[in-house]
Amino acid sequence: MTTHDTDARVRVRRYSGLARINHWVVAISFVLLMLSGAALFYPTFFGLTALFGGGQMTRWLHPWIGVALSVSFLGLFLRFFWANLPEFTDFVWVARIRHVLSGHEEYLPEIGKYNAGQKFVFWSQFVLVSVMLVTGIGLWDQGLAFIDQTFGFVPTIDQRRWAALLHACAAIVAVTILIIHVYAAIWVRGTMSAMLSGVVSGGWAWRHHRKWLRKEVGRRISPAE
Amino acid sequence: MATFQPFDVIRKSASVTSTPEPNRATEVVKLIDTSKCIGCKACQSACLEWNDMRETVGTNVGVYDNPHDLTPNMFTLMRFTEWENPKSGNLEWLIRKDGCMHCEDPGCLKACPAPGAIVQYANGIVDFIHENCIGCGYCVKGCPFNIPRISQVDNKAYKCTLCSDRVAVGQQPACAKACPTHCISFGTKAEMVALSDKRITDLKSRGFDKAGLYNPPGVSGTHVMYVLHHADQPSLYAGLPDNPRISPIVEMWKGVSKYAGMAIVGLSAIAGVVHYMLAGPNRVSKEDEENAEKLAGGKS
């Protein structure tokens, strides 16, 4: 895809096939939720309901896609949990965010599998997906019927109003973080292949996640040829 | 009775372009005089008849309210309250015909995301246009009076239409026509306010010195008004809100969160483009690859 890929003599496996499938299920659900959610959020975007078969279908589908996202996101969460625990270098990374943004990674400490920015995406999306799951059930007739049957809980109208407001706010923040996530993958060249083929070049790993590369080299190395 | 040009729309849900305002037609009002209600439920029957709805037979739990709540079929409901008046020591039977108040500033319309699913006509009637309804239940959250109900049959919201179809041809609403005590009256806003004044004067002369008209200013007035014997305590009447208004939570949800949200998302996208133009792509250099090779080579 990019020039260095062909130059790279060392290639490092970053994501297994299952991890990538899991990631793309989350990604596709997220985009579908974003489109159907935007249609219900602002009249200008109501036309997007046509993509889902009309207003009634959009209203019916959105929560079920939400369930699919919640389940698949839980998969990603359990998969990447240990690699996303905070550590001291994260604070250094944040303190030197200026060098991160200008691409001067030589001024940064060696990074493990994830840097503080990636960990931020991980944890904030975990919180936001949880908020949207809970508030989303509060806005969903079938979901509420299920909750009523199982737990005997029926939210008041005021609680449903809060659910609507929080759901919208969480969605806005989640979309903003998605933009940062996608932009970072475009800006930092060679990143996409991690989620497409599961493999990154040795140079990419050296430049962005050297601590992780050292660990991987210690374990196993697969030369390109 | 005059006809009321009922299908001139002055407000429309989920529409960014403003509706051209026609000359405001004569505003209609349904006046419900709680002091004249005998709780016969003729209004409920007439409502089911006219709208061709049927309510399933329920269970008696020892109250007069039947059915127990508004439903997607039952657009109006007599709510019975037994109240001991601490001043007179009398047991008072307060009966209120519940249903859509047809707010001048309708919370349902504000909350609705489906263009044209909720409209307000020039005569003040707030109507649900079912072919545009997507069944999301946002109107339930927007309503300060807890009126709309979502049908489990066709997943659309239902409530009192103020018989907009009857009003269109110069008829009064079915409930008003059926009412045997003239507790429910229908006419122009001016006529109804004048009628309520007469009734309030009469009630005051009979010792109900707090009698008054319920036309709450928090929703810019309503097109269904009550004459209450205890207008200082509307909540006595089966929880009629004392000061109804569109909830501030709904105002935030439908107001600032939309504009702030679009601004935040838009700005983050712009920030990405600007950053890319200033910083350029973050590319892996030849040295990086060589260093990786050295590291890997040394090990393997």
Side-chain angles (χ1 to χ4, degrees):
Chain A
M1 218 166 69
T2 42
T3 48
H4 72 266
D5 269 6
T6 47
D7 299 345
R9 300 276 302 278
V10 180
R11 316 198 91 212
V12 194
R13 191 163 179 75
R14 192 160 163 86
Y15 292 114
S16 69
L18 276 177
R20 278 176 282 144
I21 290 171
N22 195 337
H23 171 265
W24 288 112
V25 170
V26 170
I28 291 165
S29 324
F30 194 105
V31 170
L32 292 176
L33 284 167
M34 191 173 73
L35 294 173
S36 53
L40 302 181
F41 180 61
Y42 199 74
T44 313
F45 304 128
F46 190 81
L48 291 170
T49 54
L51 295 174
F52 300 89
Q56 283 271 350
M57 280 299 284
T58 307
R59 185 263 310 152
W60 179 79
L61 264 172
H62 183 90
W64 286 111
I65 307 173
V67 170
L69 179 122
S70 302
V71 171
S72 52
F73 188 87
L74 182 66
L76 278 192
F77 180 78
L78 296 175
R79 211 177 271 280
F80 300 146
F81 175 81
W82 291 106
N84 277 285
L85 292 175
E87 54 192 319
F88 178 71
T89 43
D90 296 333
F91 297 100
V92 181
W93 189 92
V94 172
R96 299 185 192 166
I97 190 76
R98 199 159 54 88
H99 299 306
V100 175
L101 291 175
S102 56
H104 289 296
E105 277 159 86
E106 57 272 26
Y107 302 129
L108 299 174
E110 293 192 3
I111 306 287
K113 185 158 186 184
Y114 295 115
N115 64 37
Q118 292 164 310
K119 288 177 184 176
F120 167 75
V121 170
F122 177 85
W123 286 108
S124 54
Q125 291 293 26
F126 170 69
V127 171
L128 293 165
V129 167
S130 307
V131 168
M132 284 189 281
L133 176 64
V134 172
T135 56
I137 290 171
L139 298 172
W140 182 24
D141 264 9
Q142 286 102 313
L144 280 179
F146 173 77
I147 296 295
D148 186 16
Q149 274 166 18
T150 326
F151 305 105
F153 174 73
V154 180
T156 64
I157 296 213
D158 240 18
Q159 285 167 336
R160 292 176 205 209
R161 288 171 182 151
W162 278 114
L165 178 62
L166 289 174
H167 196 83
C169 292
I172 290 159
V173 179
V175 169
T176 307
I177 290 169
L178 171 82
I179 291 173
I180 296 171
H181 180 62
V182 171
Y183 173 70
I186 295 170
W187 173 52
V188 181
R189 292 298 163 88
T191 304
M192 286 291 189
S193 70
M195 265 310 165
L196 292 171
S197 62
V199 174
V200 289
S201 78
W204 185 92
W206 172 268
R207 185 177 173 86
H208 306 299
H209 299 279
R210 201 168 301 165
K211 207 158 96 189
W212 170 70
L213 177 67
R214 289 189 199 282
K215 226 170 121 191
E216 291 295 303
V217 165
R219 225 188 294 169
R220 68 193 139 81
I221 254 309
S222 51
E225 262 92 46
Chain B
M1 185 177 295
T3 50
F4 292 110
Q5 306 96 44
F7 299 125
D8 288 339
V9 170
I10 58 161
R11 272 190 235 222
K12 206 168 133 201
S13 61
S15 302
V16 265
T17 49
S18 60
T19 313
E21 185 133 352
N23 291 331
R24 192 71 195 259
T26 314
E27 288 182 57
V28 296
V29 162
K30 180 165 81 179
L31 184 70
I32 302 170
D33 183 350
T34 55
S35 70
K36 277 168 126 185
C37 179
I38 56 170
C40 68
K41 297 177 185 160
C43 53
Q44 287 187 213
S45 302
C47 181
L48 289 171
E49 277 292 309
W50 178 255
N51 292 296
D52 200 18
M53 293 290 193
R54 295 293 177 271
E55 191 51 54
T56 47
V57 177
T59 33
N60 190 337
V61 296
V63 295
Y64 287 99
D65 304 35
N66 176 23
H68 304 316
D69 195 8
L70 293 168
T71 73
N73 304 320
M74 191 74 261
F75 303 161
T76 188
L77 179 69
M78 318 248 61
R79 294 193 188 272
F80 296 78
T81 307
E82 289 168 358
W83 181 62
E84 220 170 309
N85 190 330
K87 268 193 210 145
S88 63
N90 286 341
L91 180 75
E92 292 185 22
W93 210 13
L94 307 176
I95 312 168
R96 176 169 67 90
K97 177 191 178 299
D98 197 11
C100 177
M101 299 297 286
H102 296 271
C103 303
E104 178 61 18
D105 184 14
C108 56
L109 192 148
K110 179 154 220 167
C112 178
I118 303 179
V119 297
Q120 185 177 40
Y121 298 127
N123 61 17
I125 293 178
V126 179
D127 219 353
F128 287 3
I129 308 299
H130 291 109
E131 57 262 41
N132 296 332
C133 176
I134 65 169
C136 63
Y138 286 6
C139 51
V140 179
K141 291 150 197 86
C143 177
F145 294 95
N146 184 16
I147 299 299
R149 296 289 182 270
I150 310 293
S151 165
Q152 298 300 308
V153 179
D154 64 359
N155 295 297
K156 288 169 191 288
Y158 287 91
K159 69 160 188 75
C160 161
T161 65
L162 206 64
C163 282
S164 56
D165 47 351
R166 291 174 59 87
V167 172
V169 291
Q171 297 279 314
Q172 58 183 330
C175 57
K177 181 149 186 171
C179 181
T181 62
H182 295 274
C183 156
I184 308 170
S185 316
F186 181 80
T188 66
K189 191 172 175 179
E191 283 167 2
M192 291 302 108
V193 171
L195 178 61
S196 74
D197 282 344
K198 254 166 69 183
R199 286 297 304 147
I200 290 159
T201 313
D202 182 52
L203 282 167
K204 281 186 172 160
S205 75
R206 292 159 185 258
F208 293 104
D209 55 338
K210 293 289 194 291
L213 182 67
Y214 185 81
N215 177 28
V219 290
S220 307
T222 51
H223 292 272
V224 171
M225 300 179 187
Y226 290 114
V227 171
L228 303 176
H229 349 50
H230 308 290
D232 54 331
Q233 307 168 75
S235 53
L236 286 182
Y237 298 80
L240 182 64
D242 289 328
N243 293 301
R245 53 164 293 189
I246 298 178
S247 163
I249 310 165
V250 173
E251 303 265 15
M252 269 192 284
W253 170 39
K254 288 288 157 176
V256 67
S257 87
K258 284 194 165 167
Y259 302 107
M262 292 211 290
I264 291 167
V265 170
L267 284 175
S268 61
I270 291 169
V273 172
V274 169
H275 178 260
Y276 197 84
M277 290 195 298
L278 293 178
N282 186 337
R283 282 206 175 91
V284 176
S285 66
K286 253 209 158 69
E287 298 83 76
D288 290 327
E289 297 292 1
E290 284 163 10
N291 281 326
E293 271 172 56
K294 257 183 249 165
L295 181 66
K299 275 280 171 188
S300 56

